[in-house]
Amino acid sequence: MRAIDNPSRTRWAGTAELPPAEAAYRLERSVVLRAPDGTVSVFQPSGEILREAGSVPAEARWIQSTGGGAFVWGTEALVLTDEEDRSIDSGVTVTWAAPAVGGRALLLTVAATGTRFEVWEPEATEASSVHAVDGRGPAILTAWGTEVVLGEGDGGRTLVARSIPGLEPTERTTLDGPPVAFASSPSQHRLFVAAAGEPRIEAIDRYAWQSVARTSIGGPAQEVRAAVTGDLVLAFDGAQIWAVKAGDAERIEIGSDWRADLPVGLPGQVVLGVIGGSVRVFDLAGNTVSEVEGPVDAWWLPVRWTPRRIEPTVTAPDFEVETDSDPEAGAAGEQALNIGLLTAGRVAGQAVATAPTAPSDFAQSADASDPGASLAGGDTFTSIPRGFYAVATSSRQLESLGRLRRSLEDSGYPTQVLSRRDEANDLWYRLMVGPYTSREEAEAAARSLQRERGISAWIHESFGPGELR
C-alpha cells in the first residue's frame, strides 16, 4: 500500500499469499483478482482477508460501479461488493450489471421482447421486477446505488434517470449523440458523458439535471474515468489521453499509456500514469513531475483502507483544515484520508523512497494573500436555503475553511459557509454541503465525505431564513 499523495512511498506491505492473477480491479475497500483459470477472489488489505467469490469464463467483462462491480457474460452475472458476492442467471442476455441499494442487484438484459432492467432482491432466485426500456446501454449507477442512468429513446440520445427499486423515471436530458461511456464525480453530484461521434466530454449536474460544461478533446472518447478523490476526469480517444477539470472547458494532454488501472487522478490535480518502462506523475501542463519508485508491471489501484499499525495515515495536503474545538464537530478534521494505492502483482520493494520534488507534495495551495479567493467565492451567510446539509467542519477562522471548500466544490459538492454565534457570543463558521431534499440524501453525502476525505460530518436541517435551528 502506497501513499496516495506520494506514490513512491510504501506505507505497508502485506504478508498474505495471494493467488496468481491475470487481472485486478478495484472495489471500495478491496481488490478483485481474476486468475488465469477464471477463479475470482476478493482481497481486503485491512485485515488481509481473502475470499473466493466464484468463477467466470474468459469472455466475461468487468463493469466498475458505485460501491462494487460485476462480471457479465452470456445470460449470467457475478455481482461483487466488499462484503458479498452473488451469481445470477437471468436466462436472457446480460449486457450490464451492478450492485444496488439494499443488497439488490440490477441487470440490463436483452430479451426477445426488447431491452429491460431486472431488479433482483437479496437472496432472490429470480428477478423481483422487470421494466422495459428503450435503450441499449451503457448504464451507470449514481446517488450511492439509488439511481440508474441510461440513454433511452431517439437513438439513445435522451439520458433518463430512474430510481431504485421502482425504476420510475425521475429526470432526463438530451445529448448530441447516444452515450458510449460514463463516469461519476467522487461526490456523485456530476455525471461525465462521452457521446458517440462527439469529440467532447459533457459534465451534467445531477441535481439541476443540466449540462454545466462541454470540453472538447482530440477525438470521440472511448473510455472516461473520474479521479477517486479529486476534480479530474480522464478520457481516452483511442490515441490520446486527456485530463479535464470538472466543470472546466480546458483540456490537458497527458502523455501516458491507457491501461485498466492507469492513469488515475491523484489529490493536488496531478495524474499517475505509465509510459515506457516507468510509472510517472504528470502535472496539469502534461509535464512529468517525477518518476515513481515502483513496479511498472503491477496494478495500481486506489483502495480505501485502515492501517493495521497505529501511525499517521495518509493525508493529502489539499484536505488539511485547521479546526477549533466546536463540540458539534466531533472528530471532524482529525480523521485522515484513508485511501492508498495498492500495488498488486509482482512484489513491490518495501524500502521507503524519498518524496518526489513536486511543490508541497503535489498540493496546489490557494493564494494566502486573498482569503476571499481561497473560499471559492468568499460568501458567508447567516441563513441558508431550507433543506438538509452535511456539516463538513466548523471553525472560528474563516480562512481555514478555504482550501477544503475549494477542494469539495472542485469535486462537485455544493457548499455554503454559515456563520453563527455560540452562547459565549463567539463567531463560528460552518462549512455546509448541500442542500438536500431529504435527511437520507444528506446522510449519504456524509458517508461519502467520510469514505473519500475522512471527514466525520454531521447532519443539520435548515428551516430557511428566520427559522435556523
Side-chain angles (χ1 to χ4, degrees):
M1 190 70 67
R2 296 168 178 272
I4 197 169
D5 60 337
N6 178 1
S8 286
R9 183 184 177 196
T10 300
R11 293 300 308 273
W12 166 83
T15 58
E17 184 175 347
L18 302 182
E22 64 178 9
Y25 313 96
R26 176 180 61 86
L27 294 181
E28 285 289 306
R29 301 185 302 275
S30 310
V31 294
V32 177
L33 304 173
R34 180 176 179 170
D37 65 358
T39 300
V40 175
S41 303
V42 177
F43 174 64
Q44 191 171 114
S46 300
E48 298 197 77
I49 300 170
L50 179 70
R51 79 171 191 268
E52 189 171 315
S55 182
V56 299
E59 66 269 21
R61 295 182 294 111
W62 171 256
I63 298 172
Q64 190 78 44
S65 191
T66 299
F71 290 100
V72 299
W73 70 96
T75 64
E76 299 182 58
L78 176 61
V79 182
L80 302 169
T81 66
D82 288 311
E83 290 79 23
E84 59 185 5
D85 43 82
R86 184 177 185 185
S87 295
I88 295 175
D89 190 342
S90 170
V92 295
T93 301
V94 180
T95 61
W96 177 90
V101 65
R104 300 177 179 90
L106 184 65
L107 276 60
L108 184 64
T109 63
V110 180
T113 55
T115 307
R116 62 193 196 179
F117 275 122
E118 298 181 7
V119 179
W120 292 66
E121 294 291 336
E123 300 181 3
T125 57
E126 61 182 24
S128 307
S129 60
V130 177
H131 307 261
V133 292
D134 183 17
R136 295 176 299 175
I140 185 171
L141 209 63
T142 62
W144 300 280
T146 64
E147 179 182 84
V148 63
V149 178
L150 178 71
E152 302 182 35
D154 193 18
R157 293 177 59 243
T158 301
L159 285 189
V160 179
R162 295 177 178 270
S163 62
I164 299 172
L167 294 185
E168 303 89 352
T170 57
E171 300 286 353
R172 61 187 68 218
T173 191
T174 302
L175 303 174
D176 294 330
V180 296
F182 286 114
S184 177
S185 66
S187 65
Q188 300 189 39
H189 284 62
R190 288 185 180 140
L191 194 63
F192 305 101
V193 188
E198 300 295 328
R200 65 177 66 92
I201 300 298
E202 186 160 1
I204 295 173
D205 185 302
R206 199 177 57 78
Y207 287 90
W209 207 249
Q210 63 184 11
S211 177
V212 294
R214 290 185 173 185
T215 306
S216 296
I217 58 177
Q222 299 178 3
E223 297 185 63
V224 180
R225 181 182 298 160
V228 177
T229 62
D231 61 341
L232 292 181
V233 182
L234 302 173
F236 180 54
D237 64 11
Q240 184 59 53
I241 296 171
W242 305 93
V244 177
K245 289 184 64 176
D248 200 335
E250 295 184 4
R251 65 183 187 185
I252 301 96
E253 189 172 333
I254 301 294
S256 170
D257 299 331
W258 186 270
R259 306 193 324 191
D261 56 339
L262 295 176
V264 61
L266 300 182
Q269 298 182 356
V270 294
V271 176
L272 181 70
V274 60
I275 186 169
S278 65
V279 182
R280 304 183 187 184
V281 173
F282 301 88
D283 63 19
L284 286 194
N287 302 315
T288 297
V289 173
S290 65
E291 290 196 15
V292 175
E293 298 282 345
V296 177
D297 58 349
W299 296 284
W300 294 71
L301 303 167
V303 177
R304 307 183 193 284
W305 69 301
T306 302
R308 296 192 307 170
R309 296 188 301 272
I310 299 175
E311 62 176 343
T313 51
V314 180
T315 302
D318 269 358
F319 307 145
E320 292 176 351
V321 177
E322 295 178 6
T323 59
D324 294 293
S325 55
D326 181 357
E328 286 189 307
E334 298 174 3
Q335 300 290 331
L337 180 66
N338 290 339
I339 300 179
L341 286 162
L342 184 74
T343 47
R346 180 169 63 84
V347 177
Q350 298 184 24
V352 176
T354 57
T357 56
S360 302
D361 282 332
F362 309 152
Q364 292 189 348
S365 59
D367 184 357
S369 65
D370 185 359
S374 70
L375 279 167
D379 296 327
T380 64
F381 304 93
T382 56
S383 64
I384 51 181
R386 185 183 184 94
F388 293 89
Y389 293 79
V391 186
T393 190
S394 181
S395 175
R396 292 200 296 188
Q397 300 298 319
L398 181 61
E399 292 82 4
S400 70
L401 303 181
R403 183 175 291 180
L404 180 60
R405 186 182 187 186
R406 287 169 60 91
S407 178
L408 291 177
E409 290 195 344
D410 284 344
S411 293
Y413 287 97
T415 68
Q416 298 191 58
V417 174
L418 174 69
S419 62
R420 68 178 183 88
R421 291 191 178 275
D422 61 15
E423 294 79 359
N425 204 35
D426 291 327
L427 185 62
W428 290 85
Y429 299 96
R430 286 181 176 178
L431 180 55
M432 318 285 286
V433 175
Y436 298 94
T437 57
S438 68
R439 178 175 293 274
E440 289 74 18
E441 283 188 301
E443 289 173 345
R447 289 193 296 271
S448 179
L449 290 170
Q450 175 65 54
R451 290 195 307 268
E452 296 165 11
R453 310 294 179 94
I455 295 173
S456 296
W458 70 97
I459 306 304
H460 171 86
E461 182 179 4
S462 170
F463 296 87
E467 276 194 274
L468 186 63
R469 59 176 185 263

